[in-house]
Amino acid sequence: MNTPFIEEIKSDIPPHLLFKELQSFPYSFFLDSAIGRETQGRFSFLGCEPFLVFKSKRDSVSLEWNDGRKKLLRSNPFFVLKELFQRFTIFRGRGQEYGIPFIAGGVGYFGYDMKDFIERLPDISRDDLSIPDCGIGFYDTVLVFDHLKEKSYLAGVEFKDIRTDAKNKLRAALSSKISNTAREYFAETGGGLRSNFTKAGYMKTVEEAKEYIKKGDIYQVNLSQRFEADLKSEPYEIYLRLRDASPAMFASYLNFKDVIIISSSPERFLMKTGSYIETRPIKGTSPRSSDPLTDELNEISLKESYKDRAEHIMIVDLERNDLGRICEYGSVKPTEFIILERYSTVFHLVSTVSGRLKEGISPVDCLMAAFPGGSITGAPKVRSMEVIEALEPVKRSLYTGAIGYISFDGNMDTSIVIRTMVIKGKKLYFQVGGGIVFDSDPEREYYETLDKAKGIMSALGIEKVPIEKVPGAF
């Protein structure tokens, strides 16, 4: 068993400015608690130079080592990842001494289409982005920022026969002269947004989703539309603007070579600490307003909405069933139930469902039991995913998958991929959706997606409702 090291460091530079020194390195990452809250937003993590990069596309898996070795194989990517994490293990007690949940391990994303290795589902929509379904970097050293205690650490582990320069690069970033002065970031994307749905097309698809509900196939389904824009700003400047416009507990920036991911997700998917596990579904949204009275009325309306409450209860029940597969009997329960949280552009209804894991359950086992999150599929989950595949014209790619870390000591924390931009080449993409139920109003559902897009639109300097459409839009 490998014993990690933890070294307290002195740094007066906030992590989001410090990461500017690292963001250009391939496979650099920033897991950023842009809203500091004691439980959900306590830590931020920075890293670069992984000793191993895992990628998968369908059942094609590639392993690229930092010493030049490469391996290609065909397998279930979840199984390969589970074997890799079993190979690299560290002693858990060291992190517990400092209260640090992540010392070294895997950081990256699981795209929505990883679902096909969990359930047998149809393959109808187009994969027009062709991004790897999964990308995970394995890191032996990270920078840790504890926002609650206002302390910073250099943490990691030294594995036999593995050498990286990550520690030196992180130390160099810490010693760099970085301005701590706030500055203005100006949007330069231009050209507005283009959607893969017209307004009429989205509303028609909502009606089609309601037909599945009327027939009794499903109770609810998450339906989304995807926007794209031309990229004319530096990606990290876009991230900093998004961070200001729509701060969130699970913000992140991944420079993963094939793709750059900019996320400001408010929703935890799965968090595992020892034998404890929790998920924190969001279901129920209302827009914020600059007018205090309107803002208060929107909050009250969401709290008292029968539709949103009923929809939320269904998802909590679904999440309890998912965790029940891997938890000890009787241990799964809601520890927070339908509470209201305020964000810069929306109100959300949130619950926390937790449980005690059975003996021997690994983080990858947890992902396979609950992926993708029920709050962004629908109920029942499998049939809802079939409906999504039938109604949405393109693959979701990263959207509604998961981003986060799996520590070599068995801890894990992941977010749902919402409020997230994907940059590939000179194009920027993001997706927004909402839960459709029997009494959904199609026009209201369309505008709810735009409410959820406001933070990203603000970061891109776009104020008006998008009216352009991509060729072939529904």
Side-chain angles (χ1 to χ4, degrees):
M1 183 77 71
N2 298 282
T3 302
F5 64 85
I6 300 175
E7 173 189 340
E8 187 172 350
I9 57 176
K10 299 296 182 182
S11 175
D12 297 325
I13 306 298
H16 67 282
L17 296 181
L18 183 63
F19 188 69
K20 292 179 71 175
E21 299 296 303
L22 303 172
Q23 53 90 16
S24 62
F25 292 131
Y27 300 104
S28 56
F29 75 86
F30 180 23
L31 301 181
D32 174 21
S33 294
I35 293 179
R37 298 188 181 179
E38 182 173 340
T39 53
Q40 280 79 45
R42 177 175 170 179
F43 293 95
S44 293
F45 304 96
L46 287 72
C48 64
E49 194 170 324
F51 62 84
L52 169 64
V53 173
F54 170 101
K55 295 180 188 176
S56 69
K57 187 67 176 178
R58 297 186 180 273
D59 66 347
S60 179
V61 176
S62 72
L63 304 177
E64 299 180 15
W65 299 82
N66 67 333
D67 61 6
R69 288 178 294 150
K70 295 183 180 180
K71 185 176 182 180
L72 300 176
L73 60 153
R74 290 197 174 276
S75 182
N76 182 321
F78 284 112
F79 294 167
V80 178
L81 279 171
K82 185 173 180 178
E83 291 177 3
L84 286 171
F85 281 107
Q86 288 172 340
R87 176 176 174 182
F88 299 104
T89 56
I90 61 177
F91 178 61
R92 179 175 295 153
R94 186 66 171 156
Q96 289 176 330
E97 294 174 22
Y98 289 82
I100 299 173
F102 177 53
I103 295 173
V107 175
Y109 69 87
F110 298 84
Y112 172 79
D113 291 305
M114 293 285 282
K115 71 186 188 319
D116 294 325
F117 291 95
I118 299 170
E119 303 289 350
R120 291 184 176 272
L121 296 165
D123 183 8
I124 301 170
S125 56
R126 292 181 294 113
D127 181 12
D128 59 337
L129 297 187
S130 297
I131 292 168
D133 295 332
C134 182
I136 307 288
F138 285 68
Y139 302 84
D140 63 1
T141 310
V142 298
L143 285 175
V144 182
F145 293 83
D146 185 336
H147 302 295
L148 179 63
K149 293 184 176 180
E150 297 184 343
K151 291 186 176 183
S152 307
Y153 305 91
L154 184 70
V157 63
E158 294 181 357
F159 290 113
K160 184 179 180 181
D161 301 326
I162 290 176
R163 296 290 180 268
T164 73
D165 197 35
K167 188 184 297 186
N168 291 334
K169 287 182 177 178
L170 295 176
R171 288 190 186 279
L174 288 166
S175 62
S176 299
K177 294 187 180 298
I178 304 170
S179 173
N180 198 9
T181 304
R183 57 162 288 189
E184 293 290 332
Y185 296 97
F186 297 96
E188 300 172 358
T189 51
L193 293 177
R194 300 175 291 277
S195 175
N196 65 344
F197 278 101
T198 62
K199 178 182 176 182
Y202 188 82
M203 291 170 61
K204 179 176 180 293
T205 307
V206 171
E207 293 287 8
E208 291 173 351
K210 290 174 67 174
E211 287 300 315
Y212 284 100
I213 296 170
K214 291 175 183 176
K215 290 189 295 184
D217 283 14
I218 52 175
Y219 300 111
Q220 61 169 283
V221 64
N222 179 284
L223 186 64
S224 68
Q225 60 174 319
R226 191 181 75 190
F227 297 108
E228 70 173 65
D230 299 323
L231 178 69
K232 294 184 179 179
S233 291
E234 289 297 319
Y236 195 61
E237 289 205 358
I238 295 174
Y239 174 74
L240 292 175
R241 292 198 298 268
L242 179 63
R243 192 179 192 274
D244 288 339
S246 183
M249 290 174 282
F250 303 103
S252 58
Y253 185 97
L254 306 179
N255 179 2
F256 268 31
K257 197 172 180 179
D258 303 283
V259 63
I260 292 175
I261 302 167
I262 296 172
S263 182
S264 187
S265 175
E267 184 170 359
R268 168 172 278 154
F269 174 38
L270 291 177
M271 186 270 283
K272 175 185 179 296
T273 303
S275 63
Y276 173 84
I277 189 167
E278 75 171 37
T279 185
R280 207 163 183 271
I282 290 174
K283 185 57 66 175
T285 303
S286 181
R288 300 297 304 268
S289 174
S290 57
D291 175 63
L293 179 58
T294 303
D295 198 52
E296 183 179 0
L297 290 174
N298 287 349
E299 177 179 347
I300 293 171
S301 176
L302 180 60
K303 286 179 179 178
E304 296 180 352
S305 169
Y306 176 81
K307 169 188 174 293
D308 287 301
R309 187 177 182 87
E311 190 177 354
H312 192 105
I313 290 170
M314 279 191 282
I315 294 304
V316 167
D317 191 50
L318 187 156
E319 301 285 16
R320 290 177 66 182
N321 288 338
D322 282 349
L323 292 191
R325 300 174 186 176
I326 49 176
C327 288
E328 293 183 1
Y329 179 76
S331 70
V332 178
K333 58 185 177 181
T335 51
E336 292 178 307
F337 189 59
I338 314 186
I339 64 171
L340 185 134
E341 289 188 343
R342 299 168 181 84
Y343 294 86
S344 59
T345 61
V346 292
F347 297 106
H348 280 314
L349 296 180
V350 185
S351 290
T352 300
V353 181
S354 66
R356 186 173 61 255
L357 292 168
K358 298 174 184 175
E359 187 72 26
I361 296 294
S362 73
V364 177
D365 293 329
C366 297
L367 288 169
M368 293 183 70
F371 189 88
S375 65
I376 39 69
T377 55
K381 182 190 280 189
V382 174
R383 185 63 180 124
S384 294
M385 289 191 288
E386 293 173 345
V387 171
I388 289 169
E389 186 71 13
L391 296 183
E392 294 187 2
V394 295
K395 298 293 185 188
R396 287 189 165 188
S397 188
L398 273 70
Y399 176 65
T400 62
I403 292 174
Y405 68 76
I406 299 176
S407 177
F408 290 142
D409 66 1
N411 290 336
M412 172 177 67
D413 204 357
T414 56
S415 64
I416 297 282
V417 182
I418 54 175
R419 319 291 199 274
T420 298
M421 291 179 262
V422 171
I423 295 173
K424 182 181 179 184
K426 296 296 183 181
K427 298 286 187 182
L428 179 150
Y429 306 87
F430 69 93
Q431 221 157 319
V432 283
I436 310 303
V437 293
F438 177 80
D439 56 351
S440 287
D441 175 78
E443 186 169 38
R444 181 181 173 186
E445 295 295 344
Y446 174 78
Y447 283 110
E448 181 177 312
T449 67
L450 300 185
D451 289 334
K452 293 174 178 176
K454 282 181 179 177
I456 292 178
M457 291 171 64
S458 177
L460 297 177
I462 298 168
E463 297 181 359
K464 65 179 181 179
V465 173
I467 56 174
E468 298 179 60
K469 62 179 182 176
V470 296
F474 279 37

